[in-house]
Amino acid sequence: ILKTGRPISIERNGDAIIFATGSMLYYAHQAWKSLSKNRIKISLFSVPFIKPIDTAYLKKLLKDKKIIFTIEEHSKIGGLGTAISELVAEENLKVSVIRMGTEDKFVHLVGSRDYLLSQHNLSVKQITTQIKAKLKK
């Protein structure tokens, strides 16, 4: 049953979590498949609602995690990454939040969706590479 504001478990596997919203769920899932093939265990959640967000449920998910990733086709500021970062800060949770999204600047680019995503490091390959790099640290 879908509960308003609650992330939906897509894949549960590991001590890290990817939270993706909107159309970026597809890209996140492709990255998850690539990571899994490389024996990297990570969970994947869809976050269809950013506001309101189920903070009690998120606290349960995050309490024993060391690192999480948020992926959105949106500015890193004011979206999913910010909502989760605020919860982590307010609850003093000991988890690193890596936000993937567009930078806070005006974009003067024109092109296909895939081209624009790649310019913001949001292609499947770029997401996979970023996650691998952060998990190695």
Side-chain angles (χ1 to χ4, degrees), residues 13 15 20 27 33 39 43 45-46 56-57 59 72 74 79 81 85 87 89-90 93 105 110 116 118 124 128:
N13 186 15
D15 294 328
Y27 294 83
K33 286 179 182 178
R39 295 191 170 105
S43 295
F45 283 79
S46 171
Y57 183 70
K59 283 193 288 189
E72 57 196 308
H74 178 280
S85 295
L87 172 69
E90 289 167 4
L93 301 174
K105 62 182 182 181
V110 177
L116 293 172
S118 72
V124 172
T128 305

Side-chain angles (χ1 to χ4, degrees), residues 72-131:
E72 57 196 308
E73 188 177 10
H74 178 280
S75 171
K76 292 180 191 179
I77 298 170
L80 175 62
T82 297
I84 292 178
S85 295
E86 288 175 357
L87 172 69
V88 166
E90 289 167 4
E91 297 295 328
N92 199 28
L93 301 174
K94 305 297 181 208
V95 60
S96 294
V97 180
I98 309 302
R99 299 178 302 157
M100 294 182 214
T102 62
E103 297 298 328
D104 187 29
K105 62 182 182 181
F106 189 79
V107 179
H108 298 279
L109 298 171
V110 177
S112 70
R113 182 168 189 266
D114 286 337
Y115 170 76
L116 293 172
L117 287 174
S118 72
Q119 295 304 301
H120 292 282
N121 295 313
L122 292 172
S123 71
V124 172
K125 184 177 180 181
Q126 290 165 317
I127 291 168
T128 305
T129 300
Q130 291 175 74
I131 291 172

Side-chain angles (χ1 to χ4, degrees), residues 2-10 17-26 28 44-55 57-58 61-62 68-72 79-81 83-84:
L2 179 62
K3 185 174 179 188
T4 302
R6 180 170 286 189
I8 300 165
S9 175
I10 305 298
I17 299 176
I18 300 169
F19 290 105
T21 188
S23 61
M24 292 312 294
L25 179 59
Y26 171 80
L44 173 63
F45 283 79
S46 171
V47 186
F49 302 95
I50 296 173
K51 294 180 182 180
I53 197 160
D54 189 335
T55 55
Y57 183 70
L58 276 172
L61 288 176
L62 302 180
I68 62 167
F69 302 89
T70 63
I71 304 174
E72 57 196 308
L80 175 62
I84 292 178

